[in-house]
Amino acid sequence: MWPKMRRTLDSRGMTEHRRTLLAGLAGHVLEVGAGDGANFAHYPPTVIRVLAVEPEPKLRNLAAEAAARAPVSVEVSGASAGKLPAPDAGVDSVVFCLVLCTVPDIDGALAEARRVLKPGGQIRFLEHGRADSAGLVRIQRALDATVWPPLAGGCHTSRDIVAAVERAGFTIDDLRRYNFPPVRTPWSFHARGTATVR
Ligand SMILES: C[S@@+](CC[C@H](N)C(=O)[O-])C[C@H]1O[C@@H](n2cnc3c(N)ncnc32)[C@H](O)[C@@H]1O
């Protein structure tokens, strides 16, 4: 389902958020959970190489096709967030885009990102997560405990992504919270930001 849903979101404004997420990146980048490779077209020419991991085989095949069309060098791997195929301090940046809602172990994924980042390296994140009112958070938790993860490939609506980033030992440098689409639903609370290894 994701490629179809993704194209709809992108046509309604997500593409612009993707571009902003990736603007200014340089050097070696690791993208976690690349899906069908929607970000690849938006990496700036200052990026030397992207290593993109995507564990789901159909999405990985689509990502490989997108990699062949990308303006920068992109290698696609079948690894997953819990064990990234990069040495300690091996990359300049790690990108998480609409993926920390889904990884089974968010703290483990962020710890792996820390491990592979060079000193002073940064993560870029664009994620949906916890709502801003107790009522909506109750609805999110009910969805997460029942129908939503099995329906949506393991996605959770109520995760506090920004708190998890800080808990993992990153300092948030830049953060923008917004509703996408611009209405208040269990899925609309987005955070886009940059964080540096503390
Ligand atoms: C909602 S899609 C987002 C895809 C892509 N990042 C994008 O922005 O279009 C979530 C992605 O996370 C991937 N994923 C799920 N569990 C993962 C894990 N443990 N490690 C890496 N990726 C994972 C899924 O296969 C899927 O491609």
Side-chain angles (χ1 to χ4, degrees), residues 15-149:
T15 296
E16 205 42 51
H17 291 296
R18 294 182 186 279
R19 283 200 194 104
T20 308
L21 173 74
L22 305 175
L25 283 173
H28 289 84
V29 177
L30 200 154
E31 182 175 335
V32 180
D36 62 342
N39 284 328
F40 299 167
H42 308 298
Y43 279 101
T46 39
V47 168
I48 296 167
R49 183 168 171 270
V50 178
L51 175 56
V53 307
E54 174 48 57
E56 204 288 315
K58 284 187 186 146
L59 290 174
R60 187 165 66 249
N61 285 340
L62 293 170
E65 290 171 17
R69 300 188 297 269
V72 300
S73 165
V74 181
E75 181 189 342
V76 180
S77 153
S80 62
K83 197 168 189 323
L84 296 175
D88 294 359
V91 301
D92 297 287
S93 305
V94 175
V95 171
F96 292 102
C97 183
L98 307 175
V99 66
L100 288 171
C101 55
T102 300
V103 294
D105 175 6
I106 185 171
D107 292 337
L110 287 162
E112 262 298 272
R114 260 195 81 136
R115 179 187 69 75
V116 302
L117 277 170
K118 293 177 183 171
Q122 62 174 204
I123 58 168
R124 299 282 182 101
F125 57 93
L126 192 182
E127 299 286 345
H128 71 93
R130 186 166 297 180
D132 64 356
S133 75
L136 264 178
V137 172
R138 266 198 300 279
I139 294 169
Q140 289 182 319
R141 288 194 172 130
L143 284 166
D144 289 355
T146 55
V147 292
W148 187 244

Side-chain angles (χ1 to χ4, degrees), residues 2-20:
W2 175 246
K4 199 169 170 207
M5 191 188 294
R6 192 274 296 166
R7 280 194 292 274
T8 305
L9 294 173
D10 282 3
S11 70
R12 293 181 183 173
M14 187 60 85
T15 296
E16 205 42 51
H17 291 296
R18 294 182 186 279
R19 283 200 194 104
T20 308

